[in-house]
Amino acid sequence: QVQLEESGGGLVQAGDSLRLSCAASGSTFSSYTMAWFRQAPGKERSFVASITWGSTIMPYADSVKGRFTISRDNGRNTVYLQMNNLKAEDTAVYYCAAASVRFPRSSHQYDYWGRGTQVTVSS
């Protein structure tokens, strides 16, 4: 079992930056691929970024390329999402997820999810 807890969300203005954190507990964090997803109001949950246990970063969602950076610290059992140059369309609840599969192909292959943290970007 893995417990995930996101933090770092908030209300910011367009162009600002935020760093989200996801703290994991309960199992061997370093053996999981970690990812960030987001869900905007009225929309389905969508993939943002993922990083394997060996810190291989998979392609980012097109909408965040060049602005968001995922990283992990296995010593702290934490994965981060640095978000720069935020836009109003980045407004969503951001979720952290963990998968035992190294290269998950869909959200269904993620085994554990956090409760999410709200990010609101005003234009």
Side-chain angles (χ1 to χ4, degrees):
Q1 282 280 29
V2 177
Q3 292 80 44
L4 304 173
E5 183 172 3
E6 303 93 339
S7 62
L11 172 62
V12 297
Q13 294 186 337
D16 286 351
S17 298
L18 275 177
R19 189 177 78 156
L20 305 183
S21 299
C22 172
S25 62
S27 188
T28 308
F29 172 77
S30 60
S31 65
Y32 288 88
T33 287
M34 302 298 296
W36 289 95
F37 289 78
R38 66 185 182 184
Q39 187 167 18
K43 295 188 178 181
E44 294 185 354
R45 189 175 299 184
S46 63
F47 172 83
V48 176
S50 68
I51 184 168
T52 69
W53 57 75
S55 294
T56 297
I57 297 174
M58 303 307 292
Y60 291 87
D62 288 342
S63 57
V64 307
K65 280 180 183 176
R67 300 188 298 121
F68 290 12
T69 302
I70 190 171
S71 62
R72 67 189 295 161
D73 184 339
N74 288 339
R76 296 178 181 271
N77 287 359
T78 302
V79 62
Y80 304 98
L81 186 67
Q82 177 67 42
M83 305 186 295
N84 298 329
N85 189 23
L86 283 161
K87 304 177 181 180
E89 50 264 43
D90 295 320
T91 295
V93 177
Y94 284 72
Y95 297 91
C96 175
S100 56
V101 177
R102 187 177 183 194
F103 298 115
R105 294 178 179 271
S106 76
S107 62
H108 300 292
Q109 290 187 290
Y110 284 84
D111 305 293
Y112 303 101
W113 293 82
R115 294 185 177 183
T117 185
Q118 176 70 48
V119 172
T120 302
V121 184
S122 63
S123 56

